[in-house]
Amino acid sequence: MVTGESWTIQKTTERFLLYNIPWEGYQSFLRILAESAVRLTYHQGTLELMRASFFRERYKVLARRVVDVLTEEREMAIVAIGSTTFNREALEVGVDPDLSYYFSNAGRITDWDHIDLEVDPPPDLTVEIDLTNEARDRIRVFAALKIPEVWRFDGEVLEVLRLQAAGDYQIVPQSKVFSWVSMEGVSRFLRDSSIGDDNQWAKAFRRWVRETILPRVQDERGGE
């Protein structure tokens, strides 16, 4: 149990770390910063406040368009919930993911106005933009919340982390949600945000999916 008897703070380039924060303190920060661009991560008394940066937001926008194109091209059912806050008091953890998505688990949500991970399943996929390689607490929180798949992009490489039976993540070569997509290809597009404006970038990505990925999927289906 965190008592909050002595709050301490540490500042790094993009974030503040506060220590010995009780659960009630974390909830107060959530209310105060609800309309701000600050993301919060809480892990058993340690509270991280991270400000939005240009490159973080830029990659997040592109990652969102990646998922949009992939699901549109395969006509996949999806519920996107952005940076919705997820927390569990019993575990003393909470997080605001960069992007979150429900796929197969969407039908198991009892009340979309109040997703409660004490009874509802976690998102099937979250996307984490980690340009400073300082997301250890966030990854631990994702694991505690049992989010089955996390995409982590550091500005160069897109890693797919899959939750293991032991409760930790393992880097795997392929997404389970998008098993038909080359993750190296996606990573290449995320690195190259200078093709033109965002619509030109999205058109180039969609063209790659249609001309390179979908024909292979159809060939594999034909061989079944």
Side-chain angles (χ1 to χ4, degrees):
M1 177 70 68
V2 178
T3 63
E5 293 177 354
S6 59
W7 291 20
T8 58
I9 184 169
Q10 173 187 337
K11 181 181 182 301
T12 61
T13 305
E14 285 191 310
R15 63 178 187 160
F16 285 92
L17 291 177
L18 282 71
Y19 300 97
N20 298 319
I21 305 297
W23 180 261
E24 294 77 11
Y26 164 54
Q27 295 299 305
S28 295
F29 274 100
L30 283 176
R31 290 190 294 270
I32 294 169
L33 299 174
E35 303 302 322
S36 75
V38 176
R39 296 183 313 157
L40 303 181
T41 305
Y42 184 75
H43 184 265
Q44 298 175 353
T46 298
L47 178 62
E48 175 192 85
L49 294 83
M50 182 173 290
R51 66 177 177 84
S53 68
F54 170 79
F55 285 108
R56 178 179 295 279
E57 292 303 301
R58 180 79 182 124
Y59 287 127
K60 186 168 78 170
V61 167
L62 296 179
R64 181 185 295 117
R65 299 197 78 158
V66 162
V67 175
D68 288 344
V69 169
L70 294 178
T71 53
E72 288 167 6
E73 289 300 313
R74 288 296 302 274
E75 298 183 349
M76 296 173 61
I78 180 177
V79 178
I81 54 175
S83 297
T84 298
T85 298
F86 294 102
N87 54 56
R88 290 190 62 184
E89 183 176 3
L91 302 176
E92 292 189 317
V93 296
V95 69
D96 305 333
D98 283 323
L99 299 169
S100 301
Y101 298 93
Y102 278 95
F103 296 94
S104 61
N105 276 331
R108 297 172 55 198
I109 301 299
T110 56
D111 181 2
W112 285 105
D113 289 334
H114 179 65
I115 300 175
D116 182 1
L117 295 192
E118 298 292 343
V119 294
D120 294 318
D124 295 287
L125 170 68
T126 65
V127 178
E128 178 71 9
I129 308 301
D130 182 21
L131 303 181
T132 58
N133 293 311
E134 294 180 329
R136 289 182 297 274
D137 282 344
R138 293 177 63 79
I139 297 301
R140 283 194 294 174
V141 172
F142 292 147
L145 296 175
K146 300 187 183 307
I147 296 174
E149 183 168 315
V150 177
W151 290 5
R152 181 173 60 190
F153 184 65
D154 65 1
E156 293 292 332
V157 177
L158 175 64
E159 294 179 334
V160 179
L161 283 65
R162 190 171 299 162
L163 190 64
Q164 304 299 300
D168 56 355
Y169 285 106
Q170 179 179 339
I171 297 174
V172 295
Q174 202 62 35
S175 166
K176 184 176 182 179
V177 177
F178 298 102
S179 59
W180 44 278
V181 178
S182 162
M183 301 311 292
E184 172 52 36
V186 174
S187 183
R188 184 175 68 252
F189 269 89
L190 287 176
R191 285 195 301 270
D192 187 4
S193 59
S194 60
I195 294 176
D197 67 16
D198 285 6
N199 287 333
Q200 290 176 311
W201 184 93
K203 286 178 181 178
F205 180 72
R206 190 182 297 273
R207 185 165 57 250
W208 173 73
V209 171
R210 288 180 175 178
E211 296 178 357
T212 304
I213 303 301
L214 294 184
R216 189 179 71 238
V217 173
Q218 293 167 357
D219 288 343
E220 290 175 353
R221 283 183 171 181
E224 292 177 355

